[in-house]
Amino acid sequence: MNSIVCLKQVPDTEAQIRVKPDGSDVLLQDVKFIINPYDEYGVEEALKLKEKFGQSTVTIVCLGPERCIESIRTALAMGADKAVHLDDPALDGGDAFTTARALAEQIKGMEYDIIFCGKQAIDDDAAQVGVALAEYLNIPHANLVIKVEVSADKKKVTVNRQIVGGEEVLELPLPCVLTAQKGLNEPRYASLPGIMKAKKKEVKPVKAADLKLDAARIGAAGAKSKVLKCYSPPPRTAAQIVAGESPEEKAAKLAKLLREEAKAI
Amino acid sequence: MLTTLDPLWVLIALTIFTVGMYRRYRLWMRGQKEERIEGIGQRLMDFFVYAIGHRRILKELYPGLMHLFIFCACAIPILVIAAVQVTFSTPHLFGNFFSLFLDSVGSLGLLGLCLAAYRRYILKPDRLSDTRAEDAIALVWVFAIILLGFCVEGLRLSITGETGVWAPAGYVFSALFSGARPETQVGIHKVLWRIHLFLVIGLIACTPYTKFLHVITSAINICLRKYGPPGVLRQIKDFETAETFGVSRLDELTRTQLFHLDACTRCGRCQDNCPAHLTEKPLSPKKLIQDLKAHMDEKGRVPGENGQQTEKALIGDVIEHDTIWSCTMCLNCHSQCPVFITTVDKTIEMRRNLVLMESNFPVEVQAVFKNMENNSNPWGIGRHLRGDWAKELGVKTATEGASADILLYAGCAGAFDDRYKKVSTAVVKILQKAGINFTILGAEEGCCGDSARRIGNEYLYDSLVQYNLGIFRQYGVKKILTICPHCYNALKNEYPQYGTTFEVVHHTEFFLELIKQGKISLNGSGAKMNVCYHDSCFLGRYNELYDQPRKLLTSIRGVSLVEMDRTLDRSFCCGAGGGRMWMEEHLGKRINEARTEQALEKKPDAIATACPYCLTMFEDGLKSKNVYDTVKAMDIAEYILNAMKE
Ligand code: SF4
Ligand code: SF4
C-alpha cells in the first residue's frame, strides 16, 4: 500500500501577512511556515494506511523553495519514509495548474496505490491542485474526504465526502487521488526519535530539467492565471449602534443610514 | 544472663539483616548512576536536624510527638540499656537521674505507641487508609519490647529490693510480681528477659524486610536530599544522541530515585496536601511511591520463585496515565514529606517518555505544543502581536534601541491574555510612576517554556529557551523583572542550567523594594477590606516568596489579610501548574473550585493573587460559585496601582 502525499508549505495561520509596496505579491519575510493543515491530514491518513497494511512506503512530494525542507522533515518526522522535493526557481510563480502538472510529471514515474492532497492550501485557497493532478494522471479522484476505507485486497477504496447537509459515500478503484478535509483524522505529533530519524531520511531533490517539461509549461510562464494585484482587506471599522427612542425611530434611522451612508439599499 | 549460644543468635540476626540490606541495595543499584553527592557537612547537619531532631516530622503535632516518643523509646535504650540489663544495675556513671530518664523515655514510648494505635485503628484518617497487617504487628512488637523491659526492671527492683523512686515505671510493674516468691521472681525475670532479648534480636533481623526498614532508609534519605531551588527538573542535554527519553522502565530511574521508594514511611502527609488527591483524581503521591515500590519489589524477586519475572509495564500497568497527567507539580508533597521524598522528578520523567517517545498526551495539548512552536505562546496568537499590549503605554522596546537596567518580561499571559494584560499594564504604570528605567522585548519576546517543560516536552522547551537566550544575549540583558511566577521560576531557577547569570526578580519583590526605597508610596482609599491572599506554588514553595506579597498588601491602608487554612508552604494549588492550565480537568472535582471554596470560607471582600494562572482559576471559581460580582480577584500589582492613585 504505497502512498504519495502532496505537501505544500504555507504561512502559519496566525502569521502577519503584509503586501509588497508595489502590490505584486505578499511579503514572506519573518513569516513562520507550516505544513498546509489539510495536507497534514493527508500525511496522517497515509501513515494510518501504512500501519494497517504494513509493507508500505509513504512518500512526500513537495513543490516549493528551499525553505520547504523544514515542512518536509516534519512530515518525515511524523513517519513518512522518504520525500521528493521539487525545488527550482524555474518552478516559481506558477499557479495550481503548473503545480499539478509538475507534480503529475514527477509522480508518473513513481509507484503508488493512492495519492493524498489537502482539499486546498490555506494560503491561496484555490483548491485546484488535487483535482488537476488526478486529471493529469488520468486517475479518479474524490475531494473533501472525511473517511477512507481501503479494501483488504487493496483494489478499491470507499470514502465519505463532505457535501452540503450530509455525507456522500463513494467507491473508487485504486490508484486514485483523495483530497483531505478537516475531520478525516487528528494528525499525530512527531515523537522525538521520529524527529531525529527524519534528519537522516532521503529527500530527493528534483530540478525542473528532471521533469522534462518544456519551459513554457512550468512556473510563471505556464500559469493560466496571473496575479494582477495584491492588497490587504480594508481595516474593519467599529460597529455603529443606532440609537433611538422607539423601535420605529431606530428602524427609520437604520434605513436612512443603509441608504445614504452604506449605499446598501 | 547471656548464654553461650546468644552470640550465635545475634550473629544469625545480623546475617539475616545483612542479607536483607544487601538485597535492597542491589535493587537500588539497578537505577542509573548519578553525580557524586557533595556537601557532607551540611548533610550531617541535616541528619541531626531532620532525622534525630524531627524538624519536619514535628510540623504536625499529633503524629509528630507520637513518632518522637516511639523514636526515643527505641533509639535511646538501644544505645544504652543492653549494658544496664546485663550488669543488673544502673551504671554509676549516669546515676539515678539516668534511670529516671530511661523510665520516662520508655513510658512516653508506650504512650506514643498507644497514640499511634488509636490514630491508626480508631481515628482512621484517610491518609492511613492503606493499613496492613504489618502495621499492627510492628506496633505490638515494639510495645511488647518496651513492656517486657519494664517488667524486667520491675522484677529487678523487687529482687534486689532497690527503691523505685528512680524507676517509677519499673516500680509499678514490680507490683505485678510482688506476690511471687523470690526464686520464682528470679525465674520469671530470666524468662522475660530472654523474650525481651529475642524480640530485639528478631526486630534487628527483620528490619530490611518490614516497615522497620524506614529507620535506616528514611534517615539516609534525609541526607541524600537535593539542595538548591526545589522542583528544578533534570535537563536533557543529549537530544541528538540519546535513544530513549524519560522513563518507561523502573531501572531508568536513578539510584536515589529508587532509594526514595524504600525511604517512604507511608505516613501520608503528602497525600493529605495533594490537590489532585483531595479532588478525587487518581493520583496520590503516597500511592505513587508505594506502587513504584511494589513494582520494584516484584522486579527484585528472583525469577522462577513466582513463576516469571513481572511483565507489567511501568506506565499504564503500574502507574496509570491519568495519574501521571493529574499532577499539578505544586510541590506540596515535597514540602510536607518528613523525609524529603520527591515525586515530581518521577512524574516528569514518565511524562517525558509519553510525550517525547510516544506522542501520547491529552489531546488538547497538541494544539498547545504547536502554538508554542509556531507562535511561541500557548494560545497560538500571532507572535508579531506580542508587543501590542504595551502599544499605548509609551514603553520603549529593546528593538527600538532602548537600553535600560531592567527588562520587563511580560510572559505569554501578560502579553496575550485579556485579563492579565490589565495586570501587565498595571505593572508598567507602577514602574513609570516610580521612575524606573526599563524596556520590554515587544514582539521579540518568546514563551519562557515552563508549561512545555512541565508537560514533558523538553525538546520544545529547549528550543524556546534557545530562542530567548539569543534575544537576551543580543540585548545584553542583566536583570529581568517578571510578572508571572512561572516565567520567574523558569528564568531564575531553570535557565541557569544553560549557564545564564542574569538576575531575575518578581514584581512582588521588586515593588516591596520600591516601597522601602520610598519610590512609591501607597495611600489607598483606606476603605476597610479583608483580602485573602492565595500563594502561587511557583512563588511560594518554589521560591519562598511568602512575605513579600503579604507585606505589599498590608502596606495598603485599610487592607487586612485573611489567611486560608491551607496557606504558606501548605497552600493549595489553584490547579493550573504543571501544564494543567492547558489540559481539560475531567476527573473528580475541579481544583480551582475547591480552592475558591477554601477562600470563601474566610468571607473575604476580595482575593489577591500574583500569578496569571491563579487569577484565571480564581475568576473561574468565583463565577462558578456565583460570587464573581461580589468578590473580586485581582493581582497584587492591581492593588498597588489602585492604592497609588489617590
Ligand atoms: S506535586 Fe502537588 S499535585 Fe503533584 S503529587 Fe505532589 S502534591 Fe500532588
Ligand atoms: S512520600 Fe513522604 S510524605 Fe508521602 S507517605 Fe512517603 S514518607 Fe510520607
Side-chain angles (χ1 to χ4, degrees):
Chain A
M1 191 71 217
N2 296 325
S3 318
I4 289 176
V5 186
C6 300
L7 186 145
K8 184 179 188 181
Q9 191 187 48
V10 296
D12 181 70
T13 43
E14 296 297 320
Q16 182 183 28
I17 304 298
R18 284 162 302 170
V19 175
K20 285 184 183 164
D22 64 0
S24 62
D25 205 346
V26 290
L27 274 169
L28 293 176
Q29 275 160 334
D30 299 330
V31 162
K32 173 81 192 176
F33 288 95
I34 58 169
I35 299 180
N36 175 39
Y38 296 106
D39 299 350
E40 215 175 358
Y41 298 129
V43 176
E44 176 63 33
E45 202 58 27
L47 295 175
K48 281 194 163 158
L49 289 181
K50 178 178 168 153
E51 281 163 3
K52 184 166 165 200
F53 289 98
Q55 285 285 326
S56 319
T57 311
V58 176
T59 312
I60 305 295
V61 180
C62 173
L63 186 155
E66 205 187 334
R67 58 170 156 78
C68 297
I69 189 72
E70 205 189 310
S71 297
I72 294 173
R73 294 276 176 220
T74 307
L76 293 174
M78 286 171 72
D81 300 285
K82 54 190 172 64
V84 180
H85 187 186
L86 282 61
D87 170 19
D88 194 324
L91 298 169
D92 288 353
D95 62 1
F97 285 94
T98 58
T99 302
R101 197 182 281 146
L103 291 175
E105 211 47 43
Q106 168 58 38
I107 291 170
K108 250 185 214 166
M110 298 170 60
E111 258 182 54
Y112 61 89
D113 298 300
I114 198 162
I115 301 175
F116 288 100
C117 296
K119 66 151 181 159
Q120 68 192 70
I122 59 158
D123 52 358
D124 57 21
D125 281 327
Q128 304 280 309
V129 171
V131 183
L133 174 65
E135 287 304 311
Y136 280 122
L137 291 172
N138 205 17
I139 54 175
H141 79 264
N143 62 0
L144 294 164
V145 165
I146 49 173
K147 190 175 167 202
V148 174
E149 201 64 62
V150 173
S151 65
D153 62 0
K154 296 186 253 180
K155 290 269 182 339
K156 53 183 196 282
V157 59
T158 312
V159 300
N160 292 32
R161 298 183 60 233
Q162 200 176 54
I163 55 170
V164 179
E167 284 176 24
E168 180 181 43
V169 183
L170 298 178
E171 190 181 276
L172 291 83
L174 291 178
C176 66
V177 175
L178 303 179
T179 78
Q181 164 69 317
K182 186 180 165 79
L184 177 60
N185 52 44
E186 283 300 331
R188 67 196 63 193
Y189 189 75
S191 72
L192 191 45
I195 294 170
M196 295 305 160
K197 262 187 245 153
K199 294 185 180 176
K200 295 189 201 98
K201 286 182 181 167
E202 179 200 348
V203 180
K204 191 172 121 195
V206 170
K207 295 289 165 196
D210 303 328
L211 293 175
K212 303 194 181 63
L213 284 169
D214 81 50
R217 299 181 69 200
I218 55 170
K224 286 185 194 284
S225 58
K226 298 267 177 276
V227 175
L228 298 181
K229 190 183 157 203
C230 273
Y231 59 94
S232 304
R236 249 186 268 166
T237 48
Q240 204 179 330
I241 292 173
V242 182
E245 292 288 312
S246 61
E248 290 77 15
E249 191 188 330
K250 284 186 202 168
K253 273 195 193 165
L254 178 63
K256 195 168 173 233
L257 284 171
L258 284 174
R259 193 180 181 85
E260 289 169 11
E261 268 188 38
K263 307 216 186 316
I265 47 173
Chain B
M1 292 276 299
L2 287 169
T3 68
T4 40
L5 267 182
D6 285 340
L8 184 66
W9 298 130
V10 174
L11 202 67
I12 292 174
L14 286 177
T15 310
I16 299 174
F17 173 85
T18 313
V19 168
M21 287 312 292
Y22 180 65
R23 278 198 182 177
R24 300 315 300 176
Y25 172 79
R26 282 226 316 252
L27 291 180
W28 309 324
M29 292 313 270
R30 288 186 180 189
Q32 302 296 307
K33 253 204 170 124
E34 291 159 283
E35 283 166 27
R36 275 243 330 259
I37 287 165
E38 310 272 337
I40 299 302
Q42 171 77 47
R43 291 182 193 281
L44 220 59
M45 271 290 280
D46 280 347
F47 177 74
F48 285 107
V49 174
Y50 293 101
I52 309 285
H54 275 54
R55 171 106 162 242
R56 273 199 176 192
I57 305 173
L58 284 169
K59 260 168 95 170
E60 289 185 23
L61 203 61
Y62 185 146
L65 282 178
M66 171 197 106
H67 188 274
L68 184 67
F69 291 163
I70 303 173
F71 168 78
C72 291
C74 296
I76 297 173
I78 273 187
L79 293 175
V80 211
I81 214 161
V84 179
Q85 296 287 356
V86 172
T87 57
F88 234 82
S89 67
T90 314
H92 300 298
L93 186 62
F94 302 103
N96 291 334
F97 285 108
F98 186 68
S99 161
L100 188 61
F101 171 66
L102 280 184
D103 246 41
S104 340
V105 162
S107 312
L108 286 175
L110 288 182
L111 174 66
L113 288 164
C114 292
L115 286 172
Y118 180 69
R119 187 157 164 273
R120 188 177 283 277
Y121 298 103
I122 312 276
L123 294 180
K124 289 190 185 160
D126 170 59
R127 63 155 88 152
L128 299 182
S129 58
D130 62 341
T131 292
R132 310 168 181 168
E134 185 198 7
D135 297 312
I137 296 171
L139 281 178
V140 172
W141 196 319
V142 178
F143 197 89
I145 291 177
I146 300 178
L147 199 71
L148 287 172
F150 279 136
C151 291
V152 168
E153 185 182 49
L155 281 162
R156 192 195 69 210
L157 291 177
S158 175
I159 295 165
T160 58
E162 276 176 52
T163 154
V165 180
W166 301 106
Y171 184 71
V172 170
F173 281 90
S174 73
L176 279 180
F177 309 96
S178 54
R181 284 182 301 155
E183 313 84 87
T184 324
Q185 286 192 15
V186 172
I188 300 175
H189 178 270
K190 201 170 164 190
V191 171
L192 292 188
W193 187 84
R194 292 207 68 79
I195 299 178
H196 176 80
L197 177 73
F198 275 93
L199 283 178
V200 173
I201 294 178
L203 190 140
I204 292 171
C206 75
T207 294
Y209 311 90
T210 56
K211 70 184 292 184
F212 295 124
L213 177 63
H214 87 271
V215 176
I216 296 164
T217 48
S218 300
I220 296 177
N221 199 59
I222 286 173
C223 304
L224 291 180
R225 74 173 167 126
K226 262 217 181 109
Y227 295 125
V232 171
L233 304 178
R234 183 183 67 88
Q235 185 187 14
I236 300 180
K237 291 191 190 127
D238 49 355
F239 290 115
E240 301 288 336
T241 50
E243 311 247 301
T244 59
F245 299 93
V247 163
S248 66
R249 288 199 329 263
L250 198 75
D251 56 10
E252 289 172 330
L253 289 170
T254 66
R255 291 171 179 178
T256 356
Q257 283 176 320
L258 292 181
F259 189 78
H260 278 174
L261 311 182
D262 269 351
C264 174
T265 66
R266 295 194 291 121
C267 74
R269 295 182 189 216
C270 50
Q271 120 173 7
D272 250 7
N273 289 281
C274 171
H277 177 74
L278 294 173
T279 55
E280 291 116 43
K281 312 277 188 288
L283 161 66
S284 144
K286 167 180 169 176
K287 186 162 181 298
L288 178 89
I289 296 290
Q290 285 302 319
D291 287 348
L292 289 173
K293 179 178 158 100
H295 187 50
M296 176 163 80
D297 287 345
E298 206 172 341
K299 290 212 137 196
R301 267 177 223 132
V302 197
E305 188 180 286
N306 235 354
Q308 273 182 324
Q309 268 271 20
T310 170
E311 290 301 327
K312 272 191 200 161
L314 176 66
I315 300 177
D317 294 336
V318 180
I319 308 294
E320 283 173 41
H321 288 233
D322 279 331
T323 304
I324 296 168
W325 294 115
S326 288
C327 181
T328 69
M329 308 208 164
C330 72
L331 291 198
N332 216 339
C333 53
H334 293 207
S335 293
Q336 304 314 322
C337 179
V339 298
F340 295 94
I341 291 166
T342 54
T343 62
V344 169
D345 56 324
K346 301 165 188 74
T347 304
I348 189 64
E349 294 300 345
M350 291 188 274
R351 283 191 181 182
R352 283 175 175 173
N353 190 270
L354 285 172
V355 172
L356 299 175
M357 298 297 292
E358 311 289 331
S359 295
N360 184 346
F361 38 75
V363 275
E364 59 276 16
V365 167
Q366 182 155 343
V368 176
F369 285 162
K370 290 218 161 179
N371 291 338
M372 289 178 178
E373 276 163 26
N374 295 332
N375 286 298
S376 203
N377 69 77
W379 293 282
I381 302 169
R383 63 176 309 156
H384 60 285
L385 303 173
R386 194 169 179 117
D388 284 9
W389 66 276
K391 268 206 172 136
E392 315 285 309
L393 297 172
V395 187
K396 294 166 292 177
T397 63
T399 328
E400 294 159 356
S403 74
D405 329 326
I406 296 172
L407 173 78
L408 173 63
Y409 188 86
C412 296
F416 289 118
D417 178 65
D418 281 337
R419 174 66 184 90
Y420 217 64
K421 277 196 257 182
K422 293 188 184 150
V423 177
S424 42
T425 303
V427 170
V428 163
K429 288 188 175 157
I430 297 168
L431 294 176
Q432 287 171 335
K433 284 191 182 195
I436 304 298
N437 180 18
F438 69 100
T439 55
I440 59 169
L441 287 171
E444 282 190 288
E445 191 184 276
C447 171
C448 72
D450 168 75
S451 286
R453 181 171 224 202
R454 289 195 154 62
I455 294 174
N457 198 337
E458 187 76 0
Y459 188 63
L460 174 55
Y461 168 74
D462 182 73
S463 73
L464 294 167
V465 176
Q466 300 291 1
Y467 169 82
N468 287 332
L469 293 185
I471 293 286
F472 293 157
R473 222 172 287 131
Q474 186 182 331
Y475 296 116
V477 172
K478 297 210 171 52
K479 183 169 180 177
I480 301 176
L481 171 63
T482 69
I483 310 175
C484 168
H486 295 261
C487 304
Y488 177 70
N489 186 62
L491 294 171
K492 184 178 167 135
N493 297 332
E494 303 203 318
Y495 277 39
Q497 291 175 327
Y498 289 81
T500 61
T501 52
F502 45 67
E503 189 191 342
V504 186
V505 286
H506 186 253
H507 72 284
T508 51
E509 299 176 85
F510 193 71
F511 291 158
L512 191 65
E513 205 44 46
L514 290 183
I515 291 179
K516 280 188 191 153
Q517 292 169 1
K519 291 199 174 142
I520 51 179
S521 53
L522 305 181
N523 318 311
S525 61
K528 288 257 171 290
M529 184 155 64
N530 284 332
V531 177
C532 188
Y533 173 67
H534 159 80
D535 287 285
S536 145
C537 308
F538 280 72
L539 222 47
R541 277 185 292 271
Y542 277 82
N543 286 291
E544 300 201 337
L545 293 186
Y546 296 114
D547 283 354
Q548 293 83 339
R550 290 182 168 76
K551 282 194 183 138
L552 274 179
L553 284 169
T554 46
S555 52
I556 301 171
R557 209 150 52 88
V559 167
S560 8
L561 277 182
V562 283
E563 293 286 353
M564 287 180 255
D565 294 340
R566 293 177 185 273
T567 182
L568 300 167
D569 75 336
R570 283 187 64 236
S571 172
F572 194 83
C573 177
C574 72
R580 291 279 340 161
M581 179 75 187
W582 315 108
M583 300 176 209
E584 297 293 339
E585 192 176 345
H586 47 72
L587 298 169
K589 187 184 159 122
R590 299 191 70 87
I591 296 182
N592 67 324
E593 289 177 17
R595 184 55 167 167
T596 308
E597 283 164 15
Q598 293 169 17
L600 293 177
E601 270 172 29
K602 302 291 160 192
K603 310 230 175 318
D605 300 312
I607 286 163
T609 66
C611 168
Y613 297 167
C614 298
L615 187 60
T616 305
M617 286 303 183
F618 261 101
E619 292 206 327
D620 289 351
L622 292 171
K623 277 178 201 155
S624 69
K625 297 276 144 213
N626 295 319
V627 287
Y628 183 67
D629 295 326
T630 43
V631 183
K632 277 254 157 313
M634 292 203 298
D635 191 278
I636 291 194
E638 295 176 299
Y639 284 94
I640 298 293
L641 185 67
N642 287 347
M644 284 169 75
K645 273 187 184 139
E646 274 108 299

